Amino acid sequence: MIEICEVGPRDGLQNEPKLVSTETKVELINKLIDSGIRIIEAVSFVNKKVVPQMADAEEVMRLVPKRDDVRYAGLVLSRSGLERALHTDVDFLHVVTTTSDSFNQRNAKRTVDQAVEELTKVIEEGAASKGVAGVLGTAFGCPFEGEVPLSKVLNVAESFLKAGCTEITLADTTGMANPLQVQNVVASFQQEFGKELKLGLHFHNTRGLGLANILAGYQAGVTRFDSSIGGLGGCPFAPKAVGNVCTEDMVNMFKGMNVETGTDLEGLVESAKWLERSMERPLDGMLMRAGIA
Amino acid sequence: MIEICEVGPRDGLQNEPKLVSTETKVELINKLIDSGIRIIEAVSFVNKKVVPQMADAEEVMRLVPKRDDVRYAGLVLSRSGLERALHTDVDFLHVVTTTSDSFNQRNAKRTVDQAVEELTKVIEEGAASKGVAGVLGTAFGCPFEGEVPLSKVLNVAESFLKAGCTEITLADTTGMANPLQVQNVVASFQQEFGKELKLGLHFHNTRGLGLANILAGYQAGVTRFDSSIGGLGGCPFAPKAVGNVCTEDMVNMFKGMNVETGTDLEGLVESAKWLERSMERPLDGMLMRAGIA
């Protein structure tokens, strides 16, 4: 059984040039739930001036359906983000740092060590009332530094886990991962933290390797994957980091492989088509164009 | 070591709406060779009225550089195609049939059995002077029939091998394959014909699974893959069957995995960009846009 963390409403939308209405965001989340999605990265508690698209995080969380079987996560990048998140109904905090100093300086104006120092306190405090997952960006490479030492990624994960994270997601922020690397990194995490560690993988399809990397992660034992409906997505701080792995394309792969995802593929394709109409631009998803085989 | 069979000049170009000049085709082939490509499906000896884009097959073969280290293949779908091919310098014949009656009726106006009957004679005759590979289309599914029984695909392969083919390529004509199926089909072929069978795989990226399927094939022991520079490609008889696996995106994956392809990635990306300019339309390749990581 695959657990999909749908990041369309957050990582997907945050890069959209046109401001998306709160109503559209809530409708998207409802459609995703109707299609069987149960974990949704719904909002980001980021500086509204930096990412205006996420400014209505509190309002979105007020309007989405509260259901025991749906887990809403909100992105937290700082103490101020935590304080906002704690005043909402998000079930889970996704506390994020990248693992490359060059990238983090550009993205968050601080080194990785500085980020970890602040964020471990954020995690400790957040974990008192919400679940917390640590999200480690540039875990498979940095566009400015190239290779990011695996030891560094493991160290950040260790600090986050000690602070109270119950899950770690490794994010390939700019689409640099390859399947062999995915297998090696996952094996190292399993060796370091045990196979019982709840490990998620977050890939972008920047270089066409999104589904190949998902496959490699699945073969290595990972069952939690981030993806984005319609393949919406990108990172406003990373040029060319467009294209999260597309949810319905990933579900189509797993369905072909007889691996359960708990979702309704037809419903996802219809949601992607609705989203494409709403965004008024072509999305990257392939299945919505080719049709279910 | 991966052997790439570059199909851009044939499967890639044949679907281009604008007629491509012989000069451009020959320049493309030269660029591919300069980038380390050594097996090229260069031409198709198909009815000129059906596929005008391939009408200059003889002329292309007259103008490409003759090199001992480069193998040129020409597609043959019938006796008349064979006769044309035998009058050229192609080194190898790619004799093609699909393995689904519905698809073959639409594509070649005959059943699979009728095609095999004619083509085994074509193979026997061709094998007297050229190498012959059998290419089995719809091997992973048919858009009209759905599943194509594996026994049927194995039977066609057996007939082709008995007639003198030294290689078999399984083609996913409309992008229906998934990684588990690829592993199962390859395992069945290895069991039936032995691991020494030279087996190639030809995928389309129709549903985004091209590289995931290549990965699965590689893991199953296959080292020969068809791909198309820039992701050019499609099948004029199969609507929505656009997008061969992109050569440079595939090479990028294998390079990341430390698997040798004998090619120069930078050269391939430059060739893809040149081709995109020549075609005057955006191609599907991802790496040419994202850049080499």
Side-chain angles (χ1 to χ4, degrees):
Chain A
M1 174 82 180
I2 298 295
E3 282 187 325
I4 298 171
C5 174
E6 167 65 46
V7 300
R10 201 285 303 172
D11 199 9
L13 283 182
Q14 75 171 14
N15 209 23
E16 279 300 305
K18 252 179 44 183
L19 219 59
V20 177
S21 72
T22 307
E23 192 189 12
T24 298
K25 291 174 185 172
V26 173
E27 190 171 351
L28 171 61
I29 288 168
N30 273 293
K31 283 181 187 295
L32 291 166
I33 293 171
D34 288 347
S35 305
I37 297 289
R38 292 294 176 262
I39 306 176
I40 303 175
E41 195 176 86
V43 293
S44 176
F45 300 102
V46 66
N47 189 329
K48 301 174 188 197
K49 285 175 196 153
V50 179
V51 188
Q53 191 69 270
M54 292 290 116
D56 58 352
E58 283 84 354
E59 187 68 1
V60 169
M61 280 314 304
R62 216 175 49 77
L63 294 170
V64 293
K66 308 295 176 291
R67 288 172 53 148
D68 288 345
D69 61 346
V70 173
R71 175 172 124 178
Y72 294 107
L75 212 69
V76 167
L77 299 101
S78 65
R79 167 156 300 277
S80 58
L82 171 70
E83 280 157 19
R84 287 176 58 198
L86 291 180
H87 286 91
T88 71
D89 277 341
V90 291
D91 304 297
F92 233 80
L93 310 178
H94 285 181
V95 175
V96 188
T97 182
T98 74
T99 50
S100 145
D101 283 321
S102 314
F103 198 96
N104 218 56
Q105 287 283 12
R106 281 174 171 83
N107 194 344
K109 295 191 179 59
R110 57 190 177 187
T111 65
V112 175
D113 284 347
Q114 289 167 338
V116 169
E117 199 187 330
E118 175 178 349
L119 293 176
T120 45
K121 290 179 205 140
V122 165
I123 292 165
E124 282 165 16
E125 244 175 87
S129 53
K130 311 266 189 191
V132 186
V135 180
L136 313 187
T138 67
F140 298 91
C142 164
F144 311 115
E145 292 187 10
E147 201 188 332
V148 173
L150 184 52
S151 58
K152 194 155 187 177
V153 185
L154 289 164
N155 283 342
V156 177
E158 194 180 6
S159 301
F160 275 23
L161 288 167
K162 274 188 186 158
C165 282
T166 54
E167 305 178 5
I168 294 289
T169 290
L170 303 175
D172 182 24
T173 311
T174 61
M176 292 173 68
N178 70 68
L180 180 66
Q181 183 190 19
V182 171
Q183 287 170 333
N184 291 341
V185 169
V186 169
S188 296
F189 264 77
Q190 289 168 340
Q191 201 172 0
E192 189 75 15
F193 303 111
K195 289 204 173 182
E196 61 280 12
L197 170 69
K198 192 88 190 168
L199 188 66
L201 295 172
H202 175 111
F203 294 116
H204 285 254
N205 198 35
T206 318
R207 291 172 178 85
L209 281 167
L211 290 178
N213 287 331
I214 297 264
L215 177 65
Y218 173 71
Q219 291 171 334
V222 175
T223 54
R224 159 77 61 81
F225 298 102
D226 286 8
S227 64
S228 175
I229 188 80
L232 200 71
C235 169
F237 307 107
K240 295 178 179 171
V242 292
N244 280 94
V245 168
C246 172
T247 301
E248 66 273 17
D249 291 0
M250 177 175 77
V251 167
N252 179 57
M253 176 176 82
F254 281 124
K255 198 175 175 188
M257 296 171 68
N258 303 317
V259 178
E260 189 51 63
T261 62
T263 60
D264 163 32
L265 185 53
E266 287 78 8
L268 290 171
V269 170
E270 287 313 307
S271 301
K273 287 180 177 172
W274 169 86
L275 183 63
E276 187 170 67
R277 290 193 299 273
S278 302
M279 296 300 107
E280 297 178 321
R281 67 172 188 90
L283 300 185
D284 290 336
M286 306 284 285
L287 195 68
M288 60 194 284
R289 243 161 287 285
I292 297 170
Chain B
M1 175 81 179
I2 299 296
E3 282 186 326
I4 298 171
C5 175
E6 168 64 46
V7 299
R10 202 283 306 170
D11 199 9
L13 283 182
Q14 74 171 14
N15 209 22
E16 279 300 305
K18 252 178 43 181
L19 219 59
V20 177
S21 72
T22 307
E23 192 188 13
T24 299
K25 291 174 185 172
V26 173
E27 191 172 350
L28 171 61
I29 288 168
N30 273 293
K31 284 180 187 294
L32 291 167
I33 294 171
D34 289 347
S35 306
I37 298 288
R38 293 294 175 263
I39 307 175
I40 303 174
E41 195 177 86
V43 293
S44 177
F45 300 102
V46 67
N47 188 331
K48 301 173 191 199
K49 285 175 197 154
V50 179
V51 188
Q53 192 69 271
M54 294 289 115
D56 58 353
E58 285 82 356
E59 187 67 2
V60 169
M61 279 315 304
R62 216 176 47 77
L63 294 170
V64 293
K66 308 295 177 292
R67 289 172 53 148
D68 288 344
D69 61 346
V70 173
R71 174 173 125 178
Y72 295 107
L75 212 69
V76 168
L77 299 100
S78 65
R79 165 155 303 278
S80 57
L82 171 71
E83 279 157 19
R84 287 176 57 198
L86 292 179
H87 285 92
T88 70
D89 277 341
V90 291
D91 304 297
F92 234 80
L93 310 178
H94 286 181
V95 175
V96 187
T97 183
T98 74
T99 50
S100 145
D101 283 321
S102 312
F103 197 97
N104 218 56
Q105 287 283 11
R106 281 173 171 82
N107 194 344
K109 296 191 178 59
R110 57 191 177 186
T111 65
V112 175
D113 284 347
Q114 288 166 339
V116 169
E117 199 187 331
E118 175 177 349
L119 292 176
T120 45
K121 290 179 205 139
V122 165
I123 292 165
E124 282 165 15
E125 244 177 85
S129 54
K130 311 266 186 191
V132 187
V135 181
L136 313 188
T138 67
F140 298 91
C142 165
F144 311 116
E145 291 187 13
E147 200 187 332
V148 173
L150 184 53
S151 59
K152 194 155 188 178
V153 184
L154 288 163
N155 283 343
V156 177
E158 193 180 8
S159 301
F160 275 22
L161 288 166
K162 274 188 185 156
C165 283
T166 55
E167 303 178 6
I168 294 289
T169 289
L170 302 176
D172 181 25
T173 311
T174 60
M176 292 173 67
N178 70 69
L180 180 67
Q181 182 189 21
V182 171
Q183 287 170 334
N184 291 340
V185 169
V186 169
S188 296
F189 265 76
Q190 289 169 341
Q191 201 173 1
E192 189 75 16
F193 303 111
K195 289 202 175 185
E196 62 280 12
L197 170 69
K198 192 89 190 167
L199 188 66
L201 295 172
H202 174 111
F203 295 116
H204 285 253
N205 198 35
T206 317
R207 291 173 178 83
L209 281 167
L211 290 178
N213 287 331
I214 298 263
L215 176 65
Y218 173 71
Q219 290 171 334
V222 174
T223 55
R224 161 78 60 80
F225 298 102
D226 286 8
S227 63
S228 175
I229 189 81
L232 200 72
C235 169
F237 306 107
K240 296 179 180 171
V242 292
N244 281 93
V245 168
C246 171
T247 300
E248 67 274 17
D249 291 359
M250 178 175 77
V251 167
N252 179 57
M253 176 176 81
F254 281 124
K255 198 175 176 190
M257 296 172 66
N258 303 315
V259 178
E260 189 51 64
T261 61
T263 60
D264 163 31
L265 185 53
E266 287 77 7
L268 290 171
V269 170
E270 287 313 308
S271 301
K273 287 180 178 172
W274 169 87
L275 183 62
E276 187 170 67
R277 290 192 299 274
S278 302
M279 296 299 109
E280 298 177 320
R281 68 169 187 92
L283 300 185
D284 289 337
M286 306 285 286
L287 195 69
M288 59 193 287
R289 242 162 287 285
I292 297 170

